Amino acid sequence: MKNLLKNQLFWAAMVLVVLMIINITENGTATIGYSNGRLTGPIIDLFIFSPPILMISIGMTLVIATSGIDLSVGSIMAVAGAVAMQYLHGSSNPNSPATIAIAFILALAVGLLCGAFSGFLVSVVKLQPFITTLIMMLAGRGIANMITGGGNTEGGSSGFNKIAQGTVLGFPLRFIVAIIVLLLVAALVRKTALGMSVEAVGINADAAEMAGVRSNRIQFMVYTLSGLLAAVAGVLTVAYIGRVEVASTGTGAGMEMDAILAVVIGGTSLAGGKFNLGGTVLGAFVITALDQTVVYLGISSAAVPAFKAIVIIGICLLQSDRIHGWFSSPSRSRVVEKKEETPKVVAA
């Protein structure tokens, strides 16, 4: 039990349970219902709204594990979504399978290129990850505006929208898509040497290089993968609402911070060197549930950032080893200290 209380993921799971209890209570409906061929309810809402943040959080986890950061994921979501929506909008037959497939591939390709560009600047040019991705974040939003001509664009393709709006036996299709992508990434990093190489680069890039790990290549790969996953998140987002919103408060806005918070809640160290994909999934669920709680409690938009900050600080305090040390067996600690202070009696 003592070890369980010291487990970071235990406290994240407890907070998720509390948030879901609040959501179910405030929602006032059945936990899981069925309407118009779809499962409904607060728990199903968690599966509907978590995939975009889940995708960018997985990419962010790998980047952070190399001691990097990727602030551009939200803007890449907007760029990928803008490319897909603009292509569908300009197509004469937006519902044809070929058009939908091309729009999907174009969005992924753009995300891949954006991530590769950041990876090139970080791994080859040796720019600071924070500066590099901050520039990409600002540039990405501008590129999205240029693609759509500065306005929101609707794709007008019900077929494309089914990627995010469809269901399988009433269960949201886009969560299934996200889980498939997650399993592929998990297999890539845990069934190959890539995961160990990522952690080795995060611990010490120079030492990893001496041990035969191509640290530049690893950094390039994780930023490229992060861009690709951000594009998947962008497709899932714009397909759900049927349009891309390129304004600074639109598609993907602020998602980079949510992704970082999900990674931290999931137990991945910001110092790099280790990562936990399962923990990141839990962190993404916590952030999504928190967003829903804000809505159910009717918290004003002006107070939302402060509310989320208080909850997340609370989670971090519960996960803190220092806090656990303060409250774990204080009397025992004092006994040990007294024993150490007792002078030894020397026999005459």
Side-chain angles (χ1 to χ4, degrees):
M1 185 65 182
K2 187 176 179 181
N3 291 334
L4 182 63
L5 295 178
K6 287 183 177 180
N7 191 314
Q8 291 184 337
L9 299 186
F10 170 77
W11 292 108
M14 288 298 99
V15 171
L16 177 61
V17 169
V18 171
L19 291 173
M20 290 309 301
I21 291 174
I22 294 173
N23 294 347
I24 292 170
T25 303
E26 293 295 323
N27 182 267
T29 60
T31 304
I32 298 179
Y34 190 80
S35 177
N36 298 323
R38 296 172 180 273
L39 294 171
T40 60
I43 294 179
I44 299 302
D45 288 344
L46 188 67
F47 296 136
I48 292 175
F49 295 111
S50 62
I53 187 172
L54 182 57
M55 290 294 93
I56 58 174
S57 298
I58 293 298
M60 186 71 76
T61 299
L62 299 178
V63 171
I64 288 177
T66 62
S67 298
I69 195 78
D70 190 352
L71 301 177
S72 65
V73 289
S75 293
I76 293 177
M77 286 176 62
V79 175
V83 168
M85 290 290 106
Q86 192 65 30
Y87 179 78
L88 291 169
H89 182 75
S91 173
S92 59
N93 187 8
N95 283 312
S96 74
T99 303
I100 294 171
I102 292 174
F104 186 73
I105 293 171
L106 283 176
L108 297 190
V110 168
L112 191 74
L113 288 174
C114 291
F117 183 67
S118 295
F120 173 78
L121 293 179
V122 171
S123 63
V124 179
V125 185
K126 298 298 181 184
L127 294 182
Q128 288 292 325
F130 183 89
I131 300 300
T132 300
T133 56
L134 179 63
I135 293 171
M136 181 57 73
M137 180 179 75
L138 299 174
R141 191 65 60 177
I143 293 171
N145 272 281
M146 291 173 61
I147 292 172
T148 64
N152 300 334
T153 300
E154 295 186 0
S157 172
S158 58
F160 185 84
N161 295 346
K162 284 182 180 177
I163 297 173
Q165 298 176 0
T167 60
V168 176
L169 301 177
F171 199 77
L173 175 60
R174 72 175 186 164
F175 185 75
I176 296 174
V177 173
I179 291 299
I180 292 173
V181 175
L182 170 64
L183 292 176
L184 290 175
V185 174
L188 178 65
V189 298
R190 289 309 185 193
K191 297 298 181 182
T192 69
L194 179 61
M196 294 180 63
S197 298
V198 167
E199 292 178 339
V201 171
I203 294 172
N204 189 321
D206 293 334
E209 192 77 28
M210 294 176 65
V213 176
R214 300 289 296 273
S215 58
N216 292 349
R217 184 177 298 177
I218 297 299
Q219 287 177 321
F220 180 81
M221 289 178 64
V222 295
Y223 281 94
T224 303
L225 184 58
S226 179
L228 179 62
L229 291 174
V232 175
V235 169
L236 294 177
T237 300
V238 299
Y240 186 73
I241 60 176
R243 69 177 182 276
V244 62
E245 299 173 351
V246 295
S248 59
T249 57
T251 304
M255 293 286 285
E256 57 279 346
M257 300 309 298
D258 284 346
I260 294 171
L261 291 173
V263 173
V264 172
I265 292 172
T268 294
S269 171
L270 286 177
K274 70 171 185 177
F275 65 89
N276 185 341
L277 291 182
T280 297
V281 173
L282 180 58
F285 281 154
V286 170
I287 296 297
T288 305
L290 184 55
D291 288 336
Q292 293 177 283
T293 304
V294 167
V295 176
Y296 286 129
L297 294 180
I299 296 173
S300 66
S301 57
V304 168
F307 178 80
K308 291 179 67 174
I310 291 172
V311 174
I312 292 168
I313 287 174
I315 296 172
C316 292
L317 289 176
L318 288 172
Q319 294 177 328
S320 170
D321 292 335
R322 180 65 62 88
I323 298 297
H324 294 163
W326 287 351
F327 292 99
S328 63
S329 303
S331 58
R332 181 181 177 183
S333 300
R334 285 196 293 270
V335 170
V336 173
E337 289 174 0
K338 286 182 178 178
K339 286 183 177 179
E340 290 177 347
E341 292 171 357
T342 303
K344 295 182 179 178
V345 178
V346 180

